[in-house]
Amino acid sequence: MGRVKPPPGLRPWLLRVGIHRLALCYPIIAELLRGAHLRVKDDPQKALFITNWVDELISMAFPFPEMTAEVATVYAGMTSVPALRHMWTVQHGQKSNRLGHDLMISAVAIVHRMPILTANVDDFVEINKHFPLPGIYHPMEAQWYLEPGFDIPLPYFDPSEPNPHDKALPKLDTLSAHSSLEPGNDLQ
């Protein structure tokens, strides 16, 4: 949602869902800020823009689920499953120093019984094979990859819906049009 050109219809859809029904959590903020820190040396202006955008997100009324001992316990268990190793270690021969937070996002979701809203469903589907998640939803496809065990009414996603709410959600509008927010596409 922070991209200069977010997926069409995403920002209006998120606003129709309602900020009070969406959550940001520690690993998402850490992932975004890590991306900013990695850009400081090569593109300090972009790093500053990302940091300021994250600060705006944090200042909004998003619920922020706690990182509890129970979350740590679930996360620790996830980091001991060999099939999930590629999500908690850098793989030999990997070109980037990507540090994934999908396991930690999943631990928060499990403990707080919060479905995961993401455009990056593959890792979460894999995690669900080992640790049952409370739901995985891809908004742009309007599809549950994993149905939650409880009713979550969501509005219809319309990619052609105009965004009349430009100021309601912060975005990285001061970056060049070819820029993108890289670390991840996860929203929770």
Side-chain angles (χ1 to χ4, degrees), residues 74 78 101-111 116 123-124 127 133-134 188:
V74 172
M78 292 175 166
H101 289 85
D102 293 347
L103 292 174
M104 200 177 304
I105 291 166
S106 296
V108 170
I110 289 167
V111 170
I116 297 169
D123 285 347
F124 295 107
I127 292 166
L133 294 171
Q188 185 174 6

Side-chain angles (χ1 to χ4, degrees), residues 69-168:
E70 188 177 1
V71 172
T73 300
V74 172
Y75 176 71
M78 292 175 166
T79 62
S80 66
V81 175
L84 300 176
R85 182 179 182 85
H86 65 285
M87 293 186 212
W88 49 270
T89 61
V90 175
Q91 299 303 294
H92 180 68
Q94 188 173 333
K95 292 181 182 177
S96 73
N97 62 356
R98 182 179 182 273
L99 176 63
H101 289 85
D102 293 347
L103 292 174
M104 200 177 304
I105 291 166
S106 296
V108 170
I110 289 167
V111 170
H112 294 285
R113 292 185 34 87
M114 302 173 89
I116 297 169
L117 175 65
T118 184
N120 175 22
V121 297
D122 295 340
D123 285 347
F124 295 107
V125 168
E126 179 67 24
I127 292 166
N128 184 65
K129 293 176 186 175
H130 306 278
F131 296 87
L133 294 171
I136 306 167
Y137 187 78
H138 190 307
M140 283 77 74
E141 294 177 3
Q143 177 180 345
W144 285 102
Y145 278 74
L146 173 65
E147 292 274 345
F150 43 92
D151 186 39
I152 300 183
L154 292 172
Y156 173 74
F157 184 87
D158 180 359
S160 66
E161 183 176 358
N163 183 8
H165 313 287
D166 275 337
K167 301 216 184 282

Side-chain angles (χ1 to χ4, degrees), residues 2 13 16 40 57 66 71 74 77 109 119 133-134 182 185-186 188:
W13 184 83
R16 281 190 289 119
V40 166
L57 283 176
E66 288 186 61
V71 172
V74 172
L133 294 171
E182 285 295 324
N185 297 324
D186 304 321
Q188 185 174 6

Side-chain angles (χ1 to χ4, degrees), residues 1-3 11 24 28 32-33 47-60 169-173 181 187:
M1 99 177 157
R3 293 181 179 172
R11 293 171 63 86
L24 290 176
I28 292 171
L32 293 170
L33 290 175
L48 180 61
F49 289 141
I50 293 170
T51 301
N52 289 339
W53 177 70
V54 171
D55 287 344
E56 281 187 73
L57 283 176
I58 292 169
S59 73
M60 297 183 76
L169 290 173
K171 63 182 178 179
L172 293 167
D173 57 5
L181 187 59
L187 297 173

